[in-house]
Amino acid sequence: MKNKTNKIALIYILISIFLVIVIHKLIPKYISISNYPYYSTTVDVVFILLSGILLKYVLHKNNIKNSVVFKKLKNTNEEIKESNERYDIVAKATSDTIWDWKIQEDSISWNKGIEGVFGYKQNQVGKSSDWWFGNIHPEDSIKMSIKLYSFIEQKTENWQDQYRFKCADGSYKYVLDRGFLLKDENGIAVRMIGAIQDITKQKEEEQRLKLLETVITQTKDSVIITEANLNDGKIPKIVYVNPAFSVMSGYHSDEIIGKSPNILKGPNSDNEEYEKLINAIINKEECQVETISYKKNNDEYWVNFSMLPVYNSDGELSHWVSIQRDISEEKKQEVEKEQLIRELTQNNKDLQQFSYITSHNLRAPLSNLTGLLSLIDDIPVENLELKEILDGFNKSTHLLNETINDLVKVIIIKDNPSIQKEDVQLKDIFENVFSQLDFLIGLHKPIIKINFEEVTFLNINKAYLESILLNLLTNSIKYKSETRKLKINIAAHNNDDSTILTFKDNGIGIDLERNRDKIFGLYQRFHNHPDSKGLGLYLVKSQVETMGGIISLESEVNIGTIFTLTFKKQ
């Protein structure tokens, strides 16, 4: 730079001297020598030399000044470059969407975060604030705009707000938007630069935590959170209890926090259960305990509670959560239930014994009466009144004998819940049944249709099945309609893993709206028939269920009845 200054000064001097010489050579031609002294050439040269030195000095000073300005400009450019580099690095590191809004021009620009976070291509992004505000959720837009413009009018520097911003795919993300306001020398807001951060996951987590907090505070179960480690061999200290705990135990939160749940232990608490709990805490295992706890006023209550380990993000045990339920009422009901079962069992034994005694004590007199009546049959009775009395007595005796036989069958079934089953041919079973009811069938002449084409054999107890069919056929004849011919349809078919027997008649039927819950009850009568004992259907149901089957019926008054018997295949 110094050499350049010297060159410029030297060139100036040489050119100036050259011009002086040329001028002095040309002047004599036009001007007289006497009028232009010789010494003036020397003066001009001296003046040129002095002005050259002055020029050199001025140029030198100017160069020094320019160097300082150039150096400052260079430093400023380097600072701007470093600032831009830092800006790019921060933008990449934070994944924030940076925006720059020139307020007076209403011109806004976005960095690449608008694509990375929200999915917008550069040609989809608007250049004014209208596009920005237009993509804010309608429920948040007005509130956010009011807060933003109020902030600008107040001319404070820092601003932030949360709202929902639309993505390119139409969905919305929760964002945290922070802005910095720039003002001119008159304090007028001219520019605003901000960064939008995606906080959708934080919002979802916040909402989830609020929901969990609501559940914990509103649940009727007691919730206790303790520290991770044992407290001098006791359950870890409590750090939180929900309101339900105070209701259950009588302790307020400020009375229990910092203390061990062992404070709830008392004389009748189960030490083995507490020992199991301590071992689970040592081994960092989930545990469930049932024991007696004590309230603040020393009242006892049964509690069922679990201890669950909670781990932090590093996989380290941080807390234990205990969920406790007061089961005092359940325990009370359990004791009452056990007492009731014992009483019912004893009553059942007493009734069974009574049934045995009754059936045994009545069988001998009945046998004698039956024998005497058979002898009387051989004696001619001329007195019509006496004959009618004897016939009625004979009929009542046989009816009583059938009732006692049915009771004995019921007792046998109840005493032997598991019976021997075998493969029996349905055709043989029905032949035996029809032979036993030969007189009754011949008397009433019902139309009976049987269809066993699909099922030939059935794994069942032969005696029970005969008894069931005898009862159903007898009932069909006994309760037939007086206005139409009795029809009975009996069929068997297979259905997946079951065999189904159906028994259908067109008798007088049963009013199920009134009697559905009593159909298979003991001593239930649905018609005023003189021979009705109220034991038949109860006995049928007992026999079907003893063989592992299910019985159901559908019936309609004056239409008929359908019994459906379902037996699982072996």
Side-chain angles (χ1 to χ4, degrees):
M1 186 67 68
K2 184 177 180 180
N3 291 333
K4 189 175 180 180
T5 302
N6 292 334
K7 287 179 181 179
I8 292 172
L10 181 60
I11 291 170
Y12 167 77
I13 292 171
L14 292 175
I15 292 173
S16 297
I17 292 173
F18 174 76
L19 290 173
V20 167
I21 293 171
V22 170
I23 291 170
H24 277 277
K25 290 288 184 181
L26 293 175
I27 286 175
K29 293 180 179 181
Y30 303 102
I31 302 172
S32 131
I33 298 295
S34 59
N35 296 330
Y36 190 76
Y38 173 76
Y39 66 85
S40 63
T41 302
T42 304
V43 172
D44 288 341
V45 171
V46 172
F47 175 78
I48 289 171
L49 290 175
L50 291 175
S51 64
I53 293 170
L54 181 61
L55 176 62
K56 179 183 176 182
Y57 176 77
V58 171
L59 289 174
H60 176 68
K61 289 292 183 179
N62 190 56
N63 284 339
I64 292 174
K65 186 176 181 181
N66 288 340
S67 296
V68 173
V69 172
F70 177 78
K71 187 175 181 181
K72 287 182 178 180
L73 183 61
K74 184 179 179 181
N75 291 336
T76 301
N77 288 336
E78 288 178 354
E79 288 176 0
I80 292 172
K81 184 179 179 181
E82 290 178 2
S83 177
N84 289 335
E85 288 176 351
R86 283 196 299 270
Y87 168 81
D88 291 337
I89 292 171
V90 169
K92 291 178 181 179
T94 61
S95 299
D96 287 352
T97 301
I98 311 299
W99 50 269
D100 188 347
W101 182 26
K102 295 177 181 178
I103 299 173
Q104 303 300 324
E105 303 171 12
D106 192 21
S107 172
I108 189 168
S109 59
W110 305 80
N111 78 331
K112 293 181 179 180
I114 196 69
E115 180 178 353
V117 177
F118 302 103
Y120 289 103
K121 303 295 183 183
Q122 286 299 323
N123 59 359
Q124 296 177 301
V125 180
K127 301 299 182 182
S128 70
S129 61
D130 291 340
W131 182 86
W132 177 21
F133 297 145
N135 283 302
I136 297 174
H137 194 283
E139 295 178 4
D140 302 335
S141 180
I142 296 176
K143 179 185 69 174
M144 179 269 187
S145 301
I146 291 173
K147 290 176 69 175
L148 177 62
Y149 281 107
S150 175
F151 157 78
I152 293 174
E153 289 298 321
Q154 291 172 0
K155 300 178 182 179
T156 53
E157 293 183 342
N158 297 309
W159 164 84
Q160 73 174 30
D161 196 8
Q162 293 183 15
Y163 54 85
R164 285 165 287 179
F165 193 79
K166 184 190 288 185
C167 299
D169 60 4
S171 63
Y172 284 90
K173 288 186 175 182
Y174 280 96
V175 300
L176 171 63
D177 199 349
R178 296 187 181 95
F180 182 80
L181 193 64
L182 301 176
K183 295 168 283 189
D184 62 11
E185 62 276 5
N186 298 319
I188 299 173
V190 294
R191 190 176 179 187
M192 191 171 181
I193 299 173
I196 297 177
Q197 182 181 3
D198 180 6
I199 60 168
T200 304
K201 290 184 178 180
Q202 295 94 309
K203 270 289 183 182
E204 290 174 352
E205 183 66 17
E206 181 181 318
Q207 291 174 350
R208 189 179 72 87
L209 290 175
K210 284 184 178 179
L211 181 61
L212 288 175
E213 182 183 0
T214 302
V215 171
I216 291 173
T217 55
Q218 297 299 320
T219 183
K220 293 183 179 179
D221 291 338
S222 168
V223 178
I224 300 175
I225 301 176
T226 72
E227 296 177 346
N229 301 317
L230 291 173
N231 176 31
D232 295 329
K234 299 179 181 179
I235 303 173
K237 292 180 180 179
I238 297 172
V239 297
Y240 171 83
V241 293
N242 71 336
F245 172 82
S246 299
V247 174
M248 184 182 298
S249 67
Y251 287 100
H252 293 292
S253 59
D254 54 352
E255 296 176 310
I256 199 74
I257 289 176
K259 297 180 181 179
S260 170
N262 283 67
I263 195 173
L264 304 173
K265 187 178 177 183
N268 294 326
S269 299
D270 193 329
N271 290 324
E272 291 184 2
E273 290 288 281
Y274 272 93
E275 191 66 30
K276 181 174 75 172
L277 179 60
I278 294 296
N279 290 332
I281 293 173
I282 293 172
N283 297 322
K284 300 179 180 180
E285 297 173 343
E286 180 181 341
C287 180
Q288 188 160 350
V289 172
E290 189 174 289
T291 185
I292 292 176
S293 288
Y294 286 80
K295 298 182 179 182
K296 183 180 178 181
N297 61 4
N298 286 327
D299 285 349
E300 293 183 356
Y301 66 100
W302 275 93
V303 64
N304 178 294
F305 68 93
S306 57
M307 288 288 283
L308 307 172
V310 178
Y311 295 89
N312 59 23
S313 58
D314 297 325
E316 299 172 344
L317 181 68
S318 62
H319 296 87
W320 289 89
V321 175
S322 175
I323 302 174
Q324 304 189 355
R325 176 169 295 179
D326 187 344
I327 58 170
S328 301
E329 189 61 31
E330 288 89 334
K331 280 291 183 180
K332 180 182 177 181
Q333 292 176 357
E334 189 177 316
V335 171
E336 292 176 350
K337 180 181 177 182
E338 290 175 355
Q339 178 63 27
L340 182 60
I341 290 172
R342 285 195 295 270
E343 292 176 359
L344 289 174
T345 303
Q346 185 60 46
N347 290 341
N348 187 51
K349 288 180 180 179
D350 293 342
L351 286 171
Q352 193 175 42
Q353 187 66 24
F354 175 77
S355 299
Y356 275 122
I357 294 170
T358 302
S359 61
H360 181 269
N361 291 345
L362 289 177
R363 185 157 305 277
L366 272 174
S367 298
N368 292 334
L369 285 173
T370 304
L372 289 172
L373 288 171
S374 62
L375 291 174
I376 293 174
D377 287 340
D378 297 332
I379 301 173
V381 179
E382 297 179 358
N383 189 319
L384 294 177
E385 252 185 66
L386 179 60
K387 183 173 177 58
E388 188 177 347
I389 292 171
L390 289 173
D391 288 341
F393 185 67
N394 188 22
K395 187 176 181 180
S396 297
T397 302
H398 282 294
L399 187 60
L400 179 60
N401 189 51
E402 289 176 4
T403 302
I404 290 175
N405 286 336
D406 287 342
L407 280 172
V408 170
K409 289 179 182 178
V410 171
I411 293 170
I412 292 171
I413 291 172
K414 297 303 180 183
D415 279 350
N416 299 279
S418 59
I419 58 166
Q420 188 69 32
K421 293 192 286 187
E422 58 181 323
D423 287 332
V424 296
Q425 194 169 9
L426 289 178
K427 181 181 177 182
D428 294 340
I429 295 288
F430 275 89
E431 286 179 356
N432 292 338
V433 171
F434 289 147
S435 65
Q436 294 180 58
L437 298 177
D438 183 60
F439 174 77
L440 201 59
I441 292 173
L443 180 64
H444 297 281
K445 295 181 174 57
I447 299 172
I448 301 176
K449 293 183 179 180
I450 299 175
N451 182 6
F452 295 150
E453 293 181 1
E454 191 175 337
V455 180
T456 305
F457 288 89
L458 190 62
N459 188 267
I460 210 127
N461 182 275
K462 184 178 180 181
Y464 278 11
L465 185 57
E466 285 186 3
S467 175
I468 291 167
L469 294 173
L470 277 169
N471 264 302
L472 295 180
L473 271 170
T474 302
N475 282 349
S476 291
I477 295 172
K478 187 186 298 184
Y479 302 111
K480 68 183 182 65
S481 173
E482 298 297 333
T483 61
R484 57 181 177 271
K485 187 74 173 178
L486 176 60
K487 294 181 181 179
I488 300 173
N489 292 316
I490 305 170
H493 68 275
N494 291 316
N495 182 20
D496 296 332
D497 60 345
S498 302
T499 299
I500 299 174
L501 291 178
T502 56
F503 194 99
K504 180 179 180 181
D505 66 40
N506 64 339
I508 60 176
I510 302 172
D511 186 353
L512 293 184
E513 289 186 6
R514 296 176 56 187
N515 302 302
R516 183 178 291 275
D517 296 336
K518 301 183 289 184
I519 290 296
F520 298 106
L522 189 60
Y523 298 121
Q524 298 294 330
R525 296 178 178 87
F526 311 109
H527 305 289
N528 295 322
H529 196 283
D531 293 338
S532 178
K533 303 186 294 295
L535 279 169
L537 293 183
Y538 177 81
L539 180 60
V540 167
K541 184 174 186 291
S542 298
Q543 290 170 327
V544 169
E545 292 180 347
T546 301
M547 293 187 291
I550 300 172
I551 184 170
S552 62
L553 89 157
E554 291 297 326
S555 186
E556 192 172 346
V557 176
N558 294 325
I559 299 296
T561 302
I562 303 174
F563 286 93
T564 303
L565 285 66
T566 304
F567 298 99
K568 290 286 185 181
K569 294 179 181 177
Q570 297 298 317

